[in-house]
Amino acid sequence: MSRPVLILDFGSQYTQLIARRVRELGVYAEIYPFNRPQSEIEAFGAGAIILSGGPNSVTSPNAPTIGQWIFDQGVPVLGICYGLQLTCHLLGGRVAASDDREYGPAEIRLRSSASDSKILQGLSQVQGVWMSHGDRVEALPEGFSILAETDSTPYAMIGCEHRQVYGVQFHPEVHHTPEGLDLLRNFCLSIAGLSNDWTMADFLDRKADEIRSQVGSDRVICGLSGGVDSSVVAALLQRAIGDQLTCIFVDHGMLRQGEREQVKTLFGSHFQSDLRVIDAESEFLSALEGVTDPEQKRKIIGRLFVEVFEREAKELAGAKWLAQGTLYPDVIESVSPLGGPSVTIKSHHNVGGLPERMGLGLVEPLRELFKDEVRLLGRELGLPDHLVQRHPFPGPGLAVRCPGLITRSRLETLRAADHILIEELYSTGWYHRCWQALCVLLPVRSVGVMGDERTYEEVLSVRAVASTDGMTADWVHLPHDVLGKIASRIVNEVRGVNRVMYDITSKPPGTIEWE
Ligand code: XMP
């Protein structure tokens, strides 16, 4: 594989996006916090370096910074927003704090005197960009020249060709900068000369080799949940080590309709994996009997899941490894400009402590990947589209969509309604436009009329959200006729529901799941 790009994070909300864009070009990229020791940064062996944006002013005393040595690595450097200002500041230019922050769409004009610059090749003379800056560059460092300007910013793009150091005052990584990817391509491929050989097919071969040398002839356990990440991990391990893999699927009784059968068909029959399906529905439901507090529910499910999993895993003599679907966003050390402790909103269901308790080593083959890359890898491994494109589903399953008491019959109601919702979103083409869509069965009854009969049943809330990472979300403006069809099918076909509501709360202040 060609040398990777190193992105140094100075706290921008877009840092991950830079890495994703570079990877879209076929060049592997990783993110380090700006304050990693020089020795580690040098040991990374970058073929090009990008300095990210950030919310600070380079003129403030506590501004994140780095040594000048970063420009002496013999590889091209690109500073984005804060990265441009830091470049000017470190290399002897003048940057002043300014009260006028410019943020939003702007138009840049390329300087005709700079038309030979490799970073500008193929770019339009005048183009829209997404601008963002607080500080103002007042004088360029020696050897630098202006490559592009806007009406209000003379230093929209700068460069020093012989040192191969560049800076842009806008965000090339966001969609609002339509030619941003071309600019990054010029930087990574033409200027740094990197090859675009980071493909999922290559990744798959490389990872399979790595897994084989990590685990040797040992047995590996993989917890399957039916979701995208664990399915991709299992399929990858199956490809790499075949019958050294045992998959464990715990049916806690709070899964979606048909989920258990789908897992059995795909992994048991199609991939011919050693699949253990554990029917633990009764165990979970009796532990949850009488419990209505959301945190308590989550804790009970989390604890029991680990117990059940551990019990099964202990029976597998000789297992030495546990495979997990940890993704790159969970691995990146974040640079938080705000810092401070955060409160627990919801205890997440995870099996993080399991490997140490059981004395197992960890296999985490997706640690380098973003979610969209995991989906691509899933395709490469031959997983079906409906699985690869599946909405996220929480570990505690339908339990967090069942406020009040969790009973077998309420879960059945919820499962049937969820199935209709997903079916309708699929058939109307809305499924892929939602990050997630779900039903919540409210412990509230209302009076209704069906035929000549009075009904007194529970209320169901439908929720569909758009998001890129689940951290923030907007409710989706589903067309009225789609909502109408969902509501009437649910009320007509699902026993126990006589009223349907649509949840129009964004996150924040709401969370995606209700509990
Ligand atoms: P909230 O409800 O916190 O959810 O806005 C954000 C995203 O996380 C998912 N979620 C979970 N995923 N285990 C998981 O693996 C959990 O315990 C869990 N709780 C919430 C949720 O579905 C949404 O995508």
Side-chain angles (χ1 to χ4, degrees):
M1 198 174 77
S2 147
R3 287 206 288 167
V5 170
L6 178 62
I7 298 158
L8 290 174
D9 182 19
F10 290 89
S12 164
Q13 56 175 326
Y14 297 129
T15 304
Q16 290 195 21
L17 208 49
I18 306 174
R20 289 167 64 168
R21 291 284 170 266
V22 172
R23 289 183 185 192
E24 267 175 48
L25 295 171
V27 179
Y28 182 62
E30 276 197 30
I31 300 168
Y32 276 13
F34 70 93
N35 52 3
R36 274 280 182 96
Q38 179 176 353
S39 56
E40 286 181 29
I41 290 179
E42 290 180 346
F44 180 77
I49 295 170
I50 297 181
L51 311 178
S52 87
N56 299 76
S57 160
V58 290
T59 58
S60 79
N62 297 322
T65 190
I66 195 161
Q68 267 199 36
W69 51 264
I70 197 69
F71 300 101
D72 301 326
Q73 301 298 306
V75 299
V77 178
L78 171 68
I80 296 179
C81 295
Y82 183 81
L84 172 146
Q85 282 145 10
L86 191 63
T87 301
C88 286
H89 184 68
L90 291 173
L91 296 180
R94 201 167 61 246
V95 181
S98 155
D99 289 338
D100 318 322
R101 276 191 78 87
E102 190 183 355
Y103 190 79
E107 202 165 71
I108 60 165
R109 293 179 302 278
L110 308 192
R111 276 266 176 104
S112 49
S113 56
S115 59
D116 285 347
S117 174
K118 274 192 180 171
I119 200 154
L120 300 181
Q121 294 316 299
L123 302 187
S124 309
Q125 212 49 39
V126 177
Q127 56 179 290
V129 297
W130 191 256
M131 189 62 91
S132 147
H133 66 104
D135 289 351
R136 201 178 52 243
V137 174
E138 293 191 331
L140 288 180
E142 210 183 298
F144 277 76
S145 54
I146 296 177
L147 305 180
E149 61 208 337
T150 71
D151 286 340
S152 56
T153 315
Y155 304 102
M157 207 170 159
I158 61 169
C160 174
E161 301 291 344
H162 80 271
R163 291 187 77 169
Q164 296 195 312
V165 177
Y166 300 88
V168 290
Q169 194 51 77
F170 51 88
H171 287 283
E173 68 276 22
V174 304
H175 282 299
H176 307 286
T177 302
E179 296 188 35
L181 196 62
D182 300 320
L183 187 145
L184 290 173
R185 182 181 293 109
N186 286 346
F187 176 70
C188 297
L189 304 186
S190 316
I191 295 172
L194 305 176
S195 356
N196 48 352
D197 56 4
W198 161 257
T199 64
M200 277 306 136
D202 287 344
F203 176 86
L204 206 168
D205 290 342
R206 191 162 53 79
K207 248 327 138 186
D209 283 345
E210 269 176 43
I211 293 168
R212 279 190 287 267
S213 62
Q214 183 183 5
V215 307
S217 56
D218 298 339
R219 174 151 298 283
V220 181
I221 304 173
C222 176
L224 261 178
S225 73
V228 182
D229 304 344
S230 68
S231 301
V232 172
V233 171
L236 175 55
L237 282 153
Q238 184 65 37
R239 174 80 65 97
I241 55 170
D243 58 12
Q244 280 165 251
L245 172 72
T246 298
C247 296
I248 298 181
F249 178 75
V250 178
D251 181 352
H252 53 29
M254 289 160 286
L255 301 170
R256 289 161 285 193
Q257 190 160 303
E259 194 150 26
R260 177 167 160 172
E261 290 317 309
Q262 282 165 21
V263 169
K264 276 166 94 171
T265 308
L266 186 61
F267 286 94
S269 313
H270 177 71
F271 285 126
Q272 305 240 303
S273 304
D274 174 21
L275 172 68
R276 316 279 163 105
V277 176
I278 307 165
D279 183 353
E281 184 184 28
S282 306
E283 211 171 334
F284 276 84
L285 290 187
S286 45
L288 288 165
E289 220 172 277
V291 180
T292 54
D293 177 70
E295 269 299 283
Q296 221 188 329
K297 284 179 186 170
R298 279 179 171 269
K299 293 218 162 95
I300 291 171
I301 294 169
R303 177 181 47 75
L304 203 53
F305 188 92
V306 168
E307 272 173 38
V308 171
F309 192 90
E310 204 168 10
R311 202 165 61 209
E312 186 69 19
K314 269 194 183 134
E315 289 188 2
L316 299 170
K320 296 231 169 54
W321 302 90
L322 183 73
Q324 278 184 355
T326 315
L327 304 193
Y328 193 50
D330 307 324
V331 176
I332 303 171
E333 291 170 54
S334 65
V335 172
S336 163
L338 301 173
S342 59
V343 292
T344 302
I345 308 292
K346 297 173 184 184
S347 312
H348 263 225
H349 174 80
N350 71 57
V351 286
L354 204 60
E356 296 103 76
R357 274 182 50 175
M358 298 185 61
L360 296 173
L362 259 185
V363 182
E364 296 180 305
L366 310 183
R367 275 177 76 88
E368 293 154 61
L369 303 186
F370 288 109
K371 188 82 179 186
D372 36 4
E373 293 171 322
V374 173
R375 296 190 206 278
L376 289 176
L377 179 61
R379 281 223 182 82
E380 194 71 41
L381 284 158
L383 294 177
D385 250 24
H386 70 85
L387 172 55
V388 166
Q389 290 302 335
R390 201 165 212 192
H391 289 169
F393 188 66
L398 298 178
V400 294
R401 301 176 179 175
C402 199
L405 291 174
I406 299 178
T407 63
R408 198 172 258 119
S409 110
R410 292 191 79 215
L411 288 170
E412 266 166 29
T413 302
L414 191 51
R415 197 173 284 126
D418 173 79
H419 186 67
I420 292 174
L421 170 66
I422 300 306
E423 215 170 59
E424 285 303 319
L425 292 178
Y426 251 109
S427 68
T428 53
W430 278 90
Y431 185 84
H432 298 305
R433 293 158 77 175
C434 301
W435 158 269
Q436 213 167 352
L438 49 116
C439 294
V440 180
L441 184 63
L442 306 184
V444 175
R445 287 186 173 207
S446 79
V447 173
V449 54
M450 249 187 143
D452 293 330
E453 298 282 318
R454 173 187 190 270
T455 59
Y456 188 50
E457 309 280 16
E458 283 184 318
V459 180
L460 188 106
S461 169
V462 170
R463 182 153 174 71
V465 295
S467 174
T468 48
D469 53 11
M471 303 295 284
T472 59
D474 278 330
W475 60 279
V476 176
H477 293 224
L478 291 177
H480 290 177
D481 55 339
V482 174
L483 284 171
K485 175 100 181 285
I486 291 167
S488 80
R489 275 198 63 195
I490 291 176
V491 170
N492 284 312
E493 296 173 35
V494 180
R495 213 173 43 84
V497 175
N498 67 351
R499 197 175 290 267
V500 173
M501 326 290 292
Y502 189 54
D503 181 351
I504 55 166
T505 320
S506 294
K507 173 181 178 175
T511 51
I512 295 176
E513 308 289 349
W514 274 44
E515 291 199 334

